[in-house]
Amino acid sequence: MNESLWLIPFFFVAIGAGFFLGRRESRRRQRRRMASLSKDYVAGINFFLNEEPDKGIEALLKGLDVGEEGLDTHLALGKLFRKRGEFDRAAQLHTHLLEHGDYARPVQEEIQLELAQDYLASGIFDLAEQVLLEMLDQNCEAKDEVCSQLMGLYEQERDWVNAISMGERLLKSRPELASVLAQYCCEQADNLKRDKDINPARRMLRRALSFDDKCVRASFQEGELEMDEQNWEAAIQAYQRIWVQDSDFFDEVLDKLRACYDAQEKGEDFIQMLADYSAEKPSTSRILLLSEALKDRYGDKEAADFIGEYMKANPSVRGLNKILDMSLAGIVEGEAREHLDALRQMSEKLVNNKSLYKCRRCGFETPLMQWRCPSCKRWGTIKPVVKEV
């Protein structure tokens, strides 16, 4: 028994010695690794100083571990590659991390998203789609981000059906996407109409309005579709809906509305409709069209008196143009006609120098109506400029 007690101190001494030697060896390995890292780091810096960035990046990568300690550096380098347009190198780096690193699931998903960004930036949409769909199949934690990237990818590919599908998954967390999905539906309705699939196109436009009942484009396209099918009343209903959705767009469909009423020989109803809307919210475009309708139905004097009264309360260059046109129609030749012609040309230039449409977000101006701003890439932000010059 006494002999066993003597062995106890030696037992603790052995444990202490083993611990000491283990720590000593660990420090040696750490110093060797740091020495190697420092050597590669210095080499990389030298390459950068000698304006050899490619070799510098390779040297830095060689000295970095694929473990979580060096992950931030790898991800930063991947972003640097992508920023420089070296998409292949960025993709190789992220692929290497996924193949050789052992990361927690959130970290792995972060790398996968970076890899998808590499493919998207390089225009290799099929590989980006493959990475993102695999993440969805694996029931990833970053579902919203994955669906958002897929939605953007399908938009670029003009695959509106899949873009809508991905957007619907995001609606609960991002209800503001409803107006974008309505635009996607309108794009798909255009495709269907082009392929003569009229009823599916109608359903797609109704779906657009179910996403966003204020979608002017859906009403605009529905009106055009019904006009092509000579469903005049349905077209009128679609166009009149625009007044409730956004009255600033209403003047864009006045000529189409007039054509629908004329096709049914309902000129009086058209005049009454214009008069009602103009009384609620006057606009020069509506008044000028109303004066034309009055002229066609009741003659020049009735139209001239009407436009003259309106111009007294709401003077505008466009109203002046209309009066000049009426005056020129009654003058065959002579000095008075020459003067009126010159005045008409000057006033027309003043009107034409004004942009017709403007983006509410970035201020981009254009003479053509576009449903997506070419500058800020946002949907449904371009509106007619209500100009009264």
Side-chain angles (χ1 to χ4, degrees):
M1 182 69 178
N2 292 334
E3 291 179 359
S4 299
L5 291 174
W6 278 102
L7 293 175
I8 293 175
F10 289 104
F11 177 73
F12 283 109
V13 169
I15 292 175
F19 177 75
F20 174 76
L21 292 173
R23 287 198 62 184
R24 185 177 179 184
E25 181 60 26
S26 176
R27 287 174 180 172
R28 284 178 180 174
R29 286 198 300 269
Q30 180 86 10
R31 282 196 295 270
R32 284 196 297 268
R33 187 163 61 247
M34 290 302 296
S36 174
L37 177 61
S38 299
K39 183 179 178 181
D40 290 325
Y41 180 80
V42 172
I45 294 298
N46 285 330
F47 281 127
F48 276 113
L49 292 174
N50 292 326
E51 298 183 354
E52 296 180 274
D54 291 339
K55 292 182 179 179
I57 291 170
E58 288 177 5
L60 289 176
L61 280 175
K62 184 180 177 182
L64 291 174
D65 186 14
V66 294
E68 292 199 17
E69 296 81 3
L71 181 63
D72 288 342
T73 306
H74 277 91
L75 292 177
L77 283 172
K79 287 183 172 65
L80 175 61
F81 288 147
R82 200 160 59 229
K83 186 176 180 180
R84 293 176 57 189
E86 299 179 46
F87 307 122
D88 289 345
R89 184 169 287 181
Q92 288 173 1
L93 185 150
H94 294 128
T95 302
H96 178 77
L97 290 177
L98 290 171
E99 291 177 349
H100 296 89
D102 184 17
Y103 306 111
R105 186 171 183 182
V107 175
Q108 184 176 351
E109 290 181 5
E110 182 182 1
I111 299 170
Q112 287 176 300
L113 286 170
E114 288 294 329
L115 179 60
Q117 283 293 320
D118 299 335
Y119 290 139
L120 285 171
S122 59
I124 311 176
F125 294 154
D126 55 339
L127 291 180
E129 181 183 16
Q130 181 180 329
V131 171
L132 294 169
L133 288 177
E134 284 178 359
M135 293 181 70
L136 284 183
D137 290 341
Q138 295 164 2
N139 197 26
C140 64
E141 296 178 6
K143 283 183 182 177
D144 282 2
E145 178 62 26
V146 172
C147 289
S148 181
Q149 288 200 23
L150 279 169
M151 180 176 158
L153 183 154
Y154 291 133
E155 179 183 312
Q156 290 186 67
E157 291 187 319
R158 303 185 67 79
D159 182 352
W160 305 115
V161 173
N162 279 322
I164 293 167
S165 176
M166 287 299 141
E168 284 182 307
R169 296 190 182 199
L170 296 168
L171 269 181
K172 188 173 182 179
S173 58
R174 296 174 60 187
E176 71 277 5
L177 287 178
S179 60
V180 177
L181 295 184
Q183 295 289 335
Y184 290 172
C185 290
C186 291
E187 290 285 344
Q188 181 62 13
D190 259 346
N191 293 339
L192 293 168
K193 181 184 174 185
R194 197 178 303 118
D195 295 336
K196 308 300 182 184
D197 293 330
I198 303 303
N199 285 329
R202 283 193 181 101
R203 289 194 293 270
M204 191 58 68
L205 290 172
R206 285 197 291 269
R207 192 177 180 189
L209 291 169
S210 71
F211 282 125
D212 179 14
D213 60 0
K214 298 294 185 183
C215 183
V216 170
R217 182 183 183 183
S219 298
F220 196 98
Q221 289 182 209
E222 184 184 347
E224 288 184 327
L225 185 150
E226 299 301 350
M227 281 188 73
D228 291 343
E229 297 297 305
Q230 298 187 0
N231 297 326
W232 308 116
E233 282 300 324
I236 289 171
Q237 290 177 13
Y239 288 136
Q240 287 182 334
R241 191 190 305 131
I242 294 173
W243 179 263
V244 178
Q245 292 171 325
D246 190 337
S247 59
D248 289 343
F249 282 92
F250 189 69
D251 289 353
E252 303 295 307
V253 297
L254 289 178
D255 289 334
K256 296 178 184 295
L257 271 170
R258 185 177 188 182
C260 291
Y261 278 103
D262 287 347
Q264 301 177 90
E265 298 182 354
K266 293 183 177 180
E268 285 285 354
D269 292 347
F270 178 69
I271 290 173
Q272 186 60 52
M273 181 207 70
L274 276 183
D276 291 342
Y277 285 139
S278 298
E280 184 178 339
K281 185 179 179 181
S283 92
T284 299
S285 294
R286 251 166 276 141
I287 295 299
L288 295 182
L289 188 56
L290 184 54
S291 71
E292 286 183 17
L294 290 171
K295 176 184 175 182
D296 293 342
R297 201 157 191 85
Y298 302 110
D300 289 343
K301 186 177 185 308
E302 184 78 19
D305 291 344
F306 174 77
I307 193 66
E309 287 298 319
Y310 177 79
M311 280 287 291
K312 290 178 184 178
N314 304 277
S316 70
V317 175
R318 295 173 69 199
L320 174 62
N321 285 346
K322 189 65 178 178
I323 292 177
L324 289 172
D325 288 339
M326 291 179 175
S327 300
L328 286 167
I331 301 175
V332 179
E333 58 184 12
E335 186 176 353
R337 182 175 181 86
E338 291 179 5
H339 291 164
L340 287 174
D341 274 331
L343 181 59
R344 181 68 175 83
Q345 291 172 13
M346 286 189 291
S347 63
E348 188 65 28
K349 286 181 180 179
L350 178 60
V351 172
N352 289 339
N353 284 337
K354 298 291 182 178
S355 63
L356 297 177
Y357 305 95
K358 185 175 182 178
C359 177
R360 292 169 292 172
R361 291 298 185 95
C362 69
F364 176 80
E365 296 183 353
T366 172
L368 300 173
M369 180 59 206
Q370 300 181 63
W371 298 111
R372 186 176 186 236
C373 178
S375 178
C376 67
K377 310 299 182 186
R378 292 181 178 271
W379 289 95
T381 57
I382 291 182
K383 290 187 62 173
V385 177
V386 183
K387 59 176 188 175
E388 303 292 344
V389 281

